[in-house]
Amino acid sequence: PIAQAESQRPLSIVFVWDRCPAVTDEQWQLTLQTLDQLLDQLTYEDHFRVMSAPHSLPLPGEPLVAADERPVRLAKAFLRSLPDDATGGLLTALSAAIRELEDTTHHDRCPVVVLVSSRVTANEQDQMTEFRSLMDSVGKTVPIVSIGIGSRVNSLCRKLTRVGRGFLETILPGQNIARAVDRILARLRDTVLTDIELTFSEEGLVNDVIPNLPPNVFRGIPLVVLGRLNGPEFPSLKLTGRISGKPYEYQLRPDEVHRLESEMPLSCL
């Protein structure tokens, strides 16, 4: 579907900073540098918000702002002025971000939540249960991209990204942050296929499909789905999703599945 996708679409993006007071000075500076680069590399066509629960710029209830010079400068100052109490409420912030992007009327832009975190989180199971309930309550999935700061990326970020159909990037000390951020934003602007669903022709022919919720397809990141085939027959497969907000459907016939078998990256054990 790459040929049908609109390349380099502008973004409606909400940055959620999961602040943690226990991080080292190096992690703190690395996080701020990453946020600065994310803001600096937005274009004038992009609209954004920065959040760190319970604080937000623009204020809650106000629309996303265009990434002009003054709003970007104010956002950087806002991030550096946050009080010490802005260190919790991650799921509250994500909920607000997702619901705002669900309600946006700017369909010409790609909606996305970018989570920036260096936290090692406890009670992950309870938080994931709450987050899945949130995702089930909204009409469609707004992609969630996680940026982990440092080598100890917590598993909650990975799980949130998986449920949010996005991808995870890690920023390490000494890494070229500008290049990493450029790669992240380029992928988001070139989102190829979203809200993917896979339907096999006969129930029970394919089991143990992973991931059970296929991620969105971003340019440069292939979609890989694995499953266990029951029996010698190959099922047909219907792939549905959305390209630039428009419905997309592709049918893969059994003979096409058989023809692709030799190109699979895994061998039988």
Side-chain angles (χ1 to χ4, degrees), residues 158-177:
R158 301 180 188 278
K159 294 174 182 177
L160 290 173
T161 300
R162 193 177 303 126
V163 175
R165 302 195 186 207
F167 57 88
L168 172 68
E169 288 279 346
T170 302
I171 303 294
L172 300 173
Q175 185 174 351
N176 188 321
I177 301 176

Side-chain angles (χ1 to χ4, degrees), residues 93-113:
L94 287 175
S95 175
I98 291 169
R99 293 188 184 282
E100 177 173 23
L101 293 174
E102 285 286 333
D103 294 337
T104 184
T105 57
H106 302 285
H107 299 297
D108 55 327
R109 294 195 295 269
C110 293
V112 62
V113 176

